[in-house]
Amino acid sequence: DKAMNMLHTGEADIIAHKLTITENRKEKVAFTNPHYSVKQVLVQQKPENWRYMEQDQIENYLIRNLNDLHGEPVHVRKSSSHYTRLKHLSDEIDSNINIIEENGEVNTEALIKRVALGKIKYTVADNDIASVNKSYYPILDIKTEISKPQQIAWAVRKN
């Protein structure tokens, strides 16, 4: 949010940070050519004793069907593309996902860490960020995709 404000007030000329190109953001900023694509994934914790379980037991514990998110608390930043995707997903599957809005100061890595430590059940992250964090926290599962590929780019003022 701060970067967008700096861009619009002229304090900055470019947001050189990975931003998902969304229709909402296109109304506010212009984007560079896309750098690459990512998918958004559900970040969840495997069962505590997952190392001693059969793979099918672990799979049965985890959310794989997005309809199973009905009523489940998923923590994301309100200003993020993850929030927008969850809102759309909730409409698509005609379900009520319990989206917990975190303030703009909380970053994705902090939310992933909270899942790894068992402080929250779920968050959403881009698969590249989730994959890096999974290497630090092997208890995490990041296989459940919640989006199609989305383009990542930098942003500049429309003028």
Side-chain angles (χ1 to χ4, degrees), residues 84-96:
T84 305
R85 177 62 194 131
L86 281 176
K87 292 294 272 184
H88 290 146
L89 179 63
S90 194
D91 292 339
E92 289 167 21
I93 63 175
D94 195 27
S95 186
N96 184 22

Side-chain angles (χ1 to χ4, degrees), residues 8-114:
H8 290 301
T9 61
E11 287 182 72
D13 295 318
I14 186 169
I15 300 175
H17 181 69
K18 62 175 262 166
L19 292 172
T20 306
I21 300 173
T22 64
E23 291 303 316
N24 185 36
R25 287 178 177 165
K26 279 192 211 177
E27 293 174 7
K28 300 173 185 169
V29 298
F31 285 97
T32 63
N33 290 331
H35 301 298
Y36 58 96
S37 295
V38 297
K39 291 181 181 178
Q40 292 185 26
V41 296
L42 182 69
V43 178
Q44 57 188 322
Q45 195 181 79
K46 297 175 192 171
E48 203 171 292
N49 59 342
W50 66 275
R51 285 189 168 101
Y52 305 104
M53 297 173 75
E54 298 290 329
Q55 188 61 37
D56 62 333
Q57 292 174 307
I58 297 170
E59 287 297 315
N60 289 336
Y61 178 86
L62 299 169
I63 289 185
R64 293 292 184 235
N65 183 334
L66 297 178
N67 290 316
D68 293 339
L69 280 174
H70 178 77
E72 292 292 338
V74 184
H75 294 250
V76 291
R77 279 190 340 269
K78 182 166 182 170
S79 60
S80 70
S81 60
H82 307 135
Y83 174 84
T84 305
R85 177 62 194 131
L86 281 176
K87 292 294 272 184
H88 290 146
L89 179 63
S90 194
D91 292 339
E92 289 167 21
I93 63 175
D94 195 27
S95 186
N96 184 22
I97 300 171
N98 183 10
I99 304 170
I100 309 295
E101 301 170 10
E102 299 285 344
N103 71 46
E105 301 299 314
V106 177
N107 63 32
T108 301
E109 289 86 355
L111 291 171
I112 292 172
K113 183 176 182 178
R114 286 169 57 192

